[in-house]
Amino acid sequence: MPILIDIRKLTIIGKLIQHGAKNVADSLSTMANIDADIRIKSLSFVEPDDIPHEIGEGAFHHANIRLTEPPYGVFLMTFDDRTGEEIAHHMTGQPVEGELNQLQESALQEMCNILTSGFIDGIANTLETTINMETPTLEYDDAEVIAEETLSHIHSDSLSIVLDSVVDLQEENREFQLRIFLVPDPGAFVNLIDKLDIEEIREIDDLTARKDDDRAF
Amino acid sequence: MPILIDIRKLTIIGKLIQHGAKNVADSLSTMANIDADIRIKSLSFVEPDDIPHEIGEGAFHHANIRLTEPPYGVFLMTFDDRTGEEIAHHMTGQPVEGELNQLQESALQEMCNILTSGFIDGIANTLETTINMETPTLEYDDAEVIAEETLSHIHSDSLSIVLDSVVDLQEENREFQLRIFLVPDPGAFVNLIDKLDIEEIREIDDLTARKDDDRAF
């Protein structure tokens, strides 16, 4: 059965993501005292089957949560060893030598919590709703395993929104590269977007008054 | 009136764009003897009203064509002075000193023709159709003027697909940054996509056998 959306409402998906990213930046500032810009480098739509390929080759840090409220589905964040080491170093002030130590592990977990809740809350605010969620657990696995464990309950014809994002630390010349997968339930997602009016979203944009000249996704 | 598309078919838009970009690379190789990769750095959906902001501040080189066959609408390519000078330099071997000379102007025009026809043909091939078009004329104007002249006949509720793309020359350490706007007629565009089967697109993908590990949009 087709799940239909007005093609002109696709611009709303971009706005949602933009607001999610902005909220992550705000959360980093208030919760971790980190001044950062979040840039979404690319947005694409893929099928769940393509997700292992999208995650990449080898093993990755990953954190995922199942959304128990609309738009349901899964939020998954992945990043590689290098990004993990950079975040751990930045958060603890200790360079990573070999394995992460316990403090560094905790710091990485804390960063994941901030990024995940910031992003989901940002989307929820724009949708004028709340999306309750559990705290994500940070794990480390091969891309195939990540996809299998995270997405086993997802229908193979679901839509997956893939975001390449960069957390750009203002105080130093350092960037963290993250990949985010949003795999909502297609029906619930369309239902949420259908309720939104593009004019309402414009008003929210005016209120948040974009400070930079970044692309509006 | 809403123009409805099955949300799970959005993956096809990414495939179309990927095939368009691949065809540009092939055209550059065969028509201009330039070995280049084309990377689509970002894909976004915006409303036509946002296009001047998306083009940027100031004056830009631009080339546009109206499509007289489905998906109708407009194809617009923009790039800034620096990219213009780099292309002209690369194509003619003459560095740009102040204004472009006549040879450099012609080279820039030729590059626009190759990029435009390559992209549109790539999309048409994937759609298993042809899209006839005129030769684009390269011009130079302020972003507001470009948007006004190009899009004056476009409905304000049309969907605009914006692509940031990079032409990466293999033989030297040089990149050209281009921005591409596809503003199809929403109805005709949905109609075309509806006719496509995701399985058919997969088969085309298998045939073209992606050589690199780039993201599949």
Side-chain angles (χ1 to χ4, degrees):
Chain A
M1 195 182 73
I3 297 170
L4 300 172
I5 185 171
D6 188 336
I7 194 164
R8 292 163 300 189
K9 284 204 163 182
L10 291 182
T11 53
I12 291 178
I13 296 178
K15 302 276 185 194
L16 283 180
I17 287 160
Q18 184 190 350
H19 292 168
K22 185 178 179 308
N23 206 53
V24 169
D26 293 346
S27 301
L28 280 173
S29 171
T30 53
M31 295 170 73
N33 202 22
I34 293 173
D35 278 334
D37 281 331
I38 319 288
R39 282 180 286 123
I40 307 290
K41 278 172 60 189
S42 79
L43 159 73
S44 57
F45 302 109
V46 304
E47 294 166 83
D49 284 351
D50 289 333
I51 288 182
H53 174 76
E54 292 288 324
I55 295 174
E57 295 262 326
F60 292 81
H61 298 278
H62 63 106
N64 79 80
I65 45 168
R66 288 193 193 191
L67 306 178
T68 54
E69 293 182 291
Y72 301 107
V74 168
F75 173 95
L76 167 68
M77 184 168 67
T78 63
F79 50 90
D80 66 11
D81 287 329
R82 199 177 144 208
T83 290
E85 289 174 9
E86 283 176 352
I87 294 175
H89 183 178
H90 182 76
M91 299 278 286
T92 63
Q94 303 169 354
V96 176
E97 288 154 356
E99 300 278 298
L100 299 174
N101 64 34
Q102 204 178 340
L103 181 65
Q104 290 167 332
E105 286 273 7
S106 304
L108 216 54
Q109 173 71 54
E110 179 60 18
M111 175 65 90
C112 274
N113 298 354
I114 295 171
L115 294 174
T116 307
S117 63
F119 197 87
I120 300 288
D121 284 348
I123 288 181
N125 290 344
T126 311
L127 294 170
E128 293 183 332
T129 181
T130 55
I131 303 174
N132 284 324
M133 59 192 169
E134 296 173 359
T135 304
T137 305
L138 187 63
E139 295 179 79
Y140 186 78
D141 287 297
D142 193 77
E144 291 284 346
V145 176
I146 297 171
E148 197 175 314
E149 287 188 359
T150 310
L151 305 165
S152 56
H153 63 296
I154 295 283
H155 285 292
S156 64
D157 63 351
S158 290
L159 174 79
S160 174
I161 300 170
V162 186
L163 307 173
D164 270 350
S165 50
V166 175
V167 180
D168 187 357
L169 299 184
Q170 287 169 349
E171 66 199 71
E172 45 189 306
N173 197 7
R174 199 183 287 188
E175 287 185 346
F176 307 146
Q177 309 257 354
L178 308 163
R179 193 158 280 178
I180 290 169
F181 300 85
L182 279 171
V183 195
D185 174 78
F189 187 61
V190 166
N191 197 24
L192 272 181
I193 288 188
D194 265 349
K195 283 190 203 146
L196 288 181
D197 186 59
I198 195 79
E199 290 299 331
E200 284 174 29
I201 299 273
R202 273 213 199 93
E203 279 166 28
I204 299 170
D205 273 348
D206 288 343
L207 293 175
T208 56
R210 294 211 309 263
K211 276 171 287 186
D212 52 31
D213 205 23
D214 263 6
R215 298 280 308 291
F217 269 97
Chain B
M1 194 184 72
I3 297 170
L4 300 172
I5 185 172
D6 188 337
I7 194 165
R8 293 163 299 188
K9 285 206 164 181
L10 290 183
T11 53
I12 291 178
I13 296 178
K15 302 275 186 193
L16 283 179
I17 287 160
Q18 184 191 349
H19 292 168
K22 185 178 179 307
N23 206 53
V24 169
D26 293 346
S27 302
L28 280 172
S29 171
T30 53
M31 295 170 72
N33 202 21
I34 293 174
D35 278 333
D37 281 330
I38 318 288
R39 282 180 286 124
I40 306 290
K41 279 173 59 189
S42 79
L43 158 74
S44 56
F45 301 109
V46 305
E47 294 167 83
D49 283 352
D50 289 333
I51 288 182
H53 175 75
E54 292 288 325
I55 295 173
E57 295 262 327
F60 293 81
H61 298 279
H62 64 106
N64 79 80
I65 46 169
R66 287 194 193 191
L67 305 179
T68 54
E69 293 182 289
Y72 301 108
V74 168
F75 172 97
L76 167 67
M77 184 168 67
T78 62
F79 50 89
D80 66 12
D81 287 328
R82 199 177 144 209
T83 290
E85 288 173 10
E86 283 176 352
I87 294 174
H89 183 180
H90 181 76
M91 299 277 286
T92 63
Q94 303 169 354
V96 176
E97 288 155 356
E99 300 278 297
L100 299 174
N101 63 34
Q102 204 177 340
L103 181 65
Q104 289 167 331
E105 287 272 7
S106 305
L108 217 54
Q109 173 70 55
E110 180 60 19
M111 175 65 90
C112 275
N113 297 353
I114 295 171
L115 294 173
T116 307
S117 64
F119 197 86
I120 301 288
D121 284 348
I123 288 181
N125 290 345
T126 311
L127 294 169
E128 293 183 333
T129 182
T130 54
I131 304 173
N132 284 323
M133 58 193 171
E134 296 175 359
T135 304
T137 306
L138 186 64
E139 295 178 80
Y140 185 79
D141 287 298
D142 194 76
E144 291 284 347
V145 176
I146 297 172
E148 197 175 315
E149 287 188 359
T150 310
L151 305 165
S152 56
H153 63 295
I154 296 284
H155 286 290
S156 64
D157 63 351
S158 291
L159 174 78
S160 175
I161 300 169
V162 186
L163 308 172
D164 270 350
S165 50
V166 175
V167 179
D168 187 357
L169 300 184
Q170 287 168 349
E171 66 200 70
E172 44 189 307
N173 196 6
R174 198 182 287 185
E175 289 185 346
F176 307 146
Q177 310 257 356
L178 307 164
R179 193 159 279 179
I180 290 169
F181 301 84
L182 278 171
V183 194
D185 174 80
F189 188 59
V190 166
N191 197 25
L192 272 180
I193 288 188
D194 266 349
K195 283 190 203 147
L196 288 181
D197 187 60
I198 195 79
E199 291 299 330
E200 284 173 30
I201 300 274
R202 273 213 200 94
E203 280 167 28
I204 298 171
D205 272 348
D206 288 342
L207 292 175
T208 54
R210 295 212 309 263
K211 277 171 287 185
D212 52 30
D213 205 23
D214 263 7
R215 299 279 308 291
F217 271 97

